[in-house]
Amino acid sequence: MSMRDLSKRLQMDVADLRSEVEGKSEPGLGVIGKIARELSLPKFAFFMSRLPELDSGLPDFRSDEPNETQKSRQTVDVIQFAQGVQRTAIELANEPARDLPQFKATAVQDLDAFAFSARNYFGISIEDQRDARDAKAFYTLCRKKIEDKGIYVLHASFPSEDGSGFCLAHPEHPVIVVNTKNQTRARRLFTLIHELAHVLMGKSGISDPFIRKNAIEKRCNRFAGAFLAPKAFIHTLLKNATPSKHPDTDDVAWVSRRLKISQEASVLRLEQLGIFEEGSHSSWLAIVKSRGGNPDYSEKGGGGNGAPPPQEKTKLARYGFHFAQVFSPLLATGKIDPINLYRATGLKPAYQKAYFDYAKSLTSDELLDLDLDDE
């Protein structure tokens, strides 16, 4: 990070910052505090004789060559939150993920066949998708079934410029984080399955499924498309209706509602399968951009009568099902206390029991109609 980069993030004049940092024997504590906050570091780190050990950064798979990149303070905070959950699970949890399908990064593989076998492994049926009320309901069902296999799926809001989601790969305690910033549930679903591909590949990093500049991202996207829209079942999911080969935006929106996946993922997948003509995605993208933006980013938050949703529901939305399954017994048996659970994961003691009890109480029928709003 250059001095100019840092000054912009601190909203300071670059000359003033340079004077503080380089022109004095020791910068003022006010400046150090601002820098520490922006970089998500403790102030004492700047006074240490050696650089402290920090969690490694995440490669950015939106680049030609996935390398670490600068990220906003909010994004760094979310990464540290996810690393705290994973680190605590590695240390204490008794319920690791086992026997997950292995997705090879470079091997010649029938991706459509592998994606469908992975879908079967997670128990997500075509009937589940066809009969789901909408994309929101299908997203919750997919998330629950993925978490049932030992994968943490967390929600957090961070600038969309820093990606749609990320994965912290681990053979027993993998973590997926889905960015809730503006993404519709249909787009979140594609992000979730794209990050699942990273988990099965063992590749940690930040992604946006619709920025595909390297071979890994292209493979993960092909996996996600085949997982969510299997070739053999497209017509079943479309309820045997035949879409136009030359789709307009209404056609794409209709297909998206039937498949319960994002509009962009729908047009890409159907073009890939030859149901839409070649170039349909480019044409659709040009039209939606001319009309003001991608509809997959237009979802507004809940609200209803203005009353906030119950905390146990917002905590379930943020932390998910597997987190409750793992940490509830650890808390009950004293392997971790409420304060240390809060320090490790950010889950406040006041909400721990209500969230854990709520997550355990949900029946299969209730899951079908579960409506989880973001905090």
Side-chain angles (χ1 to χ4, degrees):
M1 185 182 298
S2 70
M3 193 70 74
R4 186 170 296 280
D5 291 334
L6 184 57
S7 69
K8 185 176 180 181
R9 289 175 63 153
L10 296 175
Q11 297 182 335
M12 284 182 69
D13 183 81
V14 66
D16 292 341
L17 178 61
R18 192 178 299 279
S19 174
E20 281 283 348
V21 174
E22 298 177 352
K24 298 180 180 180
S25 59
E26 184 177 300
L29 284 176
V31 171
I32 289 177
K34 289 179 71 173
I35 296 173
R37 181 176 183 272
E38 185 60 34
L39 302 183
S40 297
L41 289 168
K43 284 185 281 191
F44 67 77
F46 295 97
F47 295 90
M48 298 176 72
S49 58
R50 289 187 304 168
L51 184 70
E53 281 196 28
L54 303 173
D55 288 313
S56 58
L58 285 180
D60 191 333
F61 279 94
R62 298 171 300 166
S63 312
D64 294 333
E65 294 291 334
N67 294 310
E68 292 182 31
T69 56
Q70 288 185 36
K71 300 171 184 70
S72 70
R73 177 180 57 81
Q74 299 97 314
T75 304
V76 173
D77 288 345
V78 170
I79 292 171
Q80 291 181 348
F81 151 64
Q83 289 171 333
V85 171
Q86 186 179 64
R87 188 165 49 244
T88 309
I90 291 169
E91 182 181 350
L92 299 175
N94 297 319
E95 299 185 35
R98 298 188 188 281
D99 303 321
L100 294 174
Q102 298 297 303
F103 187 19
K104 303 301 182 185
T106 57
V108 176
Q109 202 172 11
D110 185 338
L111 288 184
D112 283 42
F114 173 72
F116 191 66
S117 69
R119 178 173 170 143
N120 287 334
Y121 170 84
F122 288 102
I124 301 168
S125 72
I126 296 299
E127 291 72 26
D128 288 334
Q129 186 168 357
R130 183 194 63 200
D131 299 337
R133 181 182 70 249
D134 52 23
K136 201 170 187 179
F138 186 51
Y139 174 86
T140 299
L141 182 145
C142 289
R143 179 184 184 181
K144 175 67 165 59
K145 292 197 173 190
I146 288 168
E147 293 203 70
D148 284 346
K149 294 296 188 180
I151 299 170
Y152 296 85
V153 178
L154 310 175
H155 280 184
S157 178
F158 54 92
S160 54
E161 295 79 10
D162 284 342
S164 300
F166 63 86
C167 151
L168 302 179
H170 189 273
E172 294 186 335
H173 303 285
V175 176
I176 290 171
V177 177
V178 176
N179 189 357
T180 60
K181 187 82 167 181
N182 297 330
Q183 290 193 93
T184 63
R185 291 312 193 282
R187 194 183 196 280
R188 290 184 201 183
L189 179 58
F190 200 81
T191 295
L192 171 62
I193 305 305
H194 180 99
E195 297 304 330
L196 175 63
H198 275 271
V199 165
L200 303 183
M201 200 180 278
K203 296 283 187 183
S204 298
I206 284 185
S207 304
D208 182 325
F210 300 101
I211 300 177
R212 305 171 303 280
K213 294 184 177 180
N214 58 73
I216 288 176
E217 288 301 86
K218 290 174 183 176
R219 288 177 69 80
C220 289
N221 248 35
R222 178 69 185 238
F223 171 90
F227 188 106
L228 291 168
K231 180 178 181 180
F233 295 95
I234 283 289
H235 294 294
T236 299
L237 293 172
L238 295 178
K239 299 181 180 178
N240 295 317
T242 303
S244 169
K245 195 167 181 66
H246 313 284
D248 58 22
T249 53
D250 289 338
D251 295 324
V252 172
W254 175 83
V255 168
S256 171
R257 288 192 298 272
R258 288 290 177 95
L259 297 181
K260 279 93 176 184
I261 64 178
S262 70
Q263 293 192 35
E264 188 162 8
S266 297
V267 67
L268 272 170
R269 180 60 174 161
L270 265 64
E271 181 180 332
Q272 190 179 74
L273 294 175
I275 296 172
F276 287 166
E277 67 177 346
E278 188 175 347
S280 294
H281 173 249
S282 298
S283 299
W284 174 85
L285 204 57
I287 293 170
V288 298
K289 283 183 177 179
S290 71
R291 293 179 179 177
N294 192 324
D296 295 331
Y297 283 103
S298 63
E299 183 164 279
K300 303 293 188 295
N305 59 7
Q311 282 294 323
E312 61 269 22
K313 292 187 75 172
T314 61
K315 294 301 180 279
L316 181 57
R318 178 170 174 78
Y319 290 92
F321 300 92
H322 187 55
F323 183 101
Q325 180 185 359
V326 169
F327 286 98
S328 178
L330 292 176
L331 189 65
T333 56
K335 291 184 177 179
I336 192 169
D337 61 73
I339 297 299
N340 281 318
L341 180 57
Y342 166 63
R343 293 177 68 186
T345 67
L347 179 61
K348 293 181 179 178
Y351 305 132
Q352 291 169 9
K353 186 176 186 305
Y355 153 48
F356 290 154
D357 289 346
Y358 177 66
K360 286 189 291 185
S361 73
L362 290 168
T363 65
S364 298
D365 289 340
E366 287 172 328
L367 281 170
L368 294 176
D369 295 315
L370 187 61
D371 193 1
L372 294 177
D373 287 318
D374 305 319
E375 287 187 282

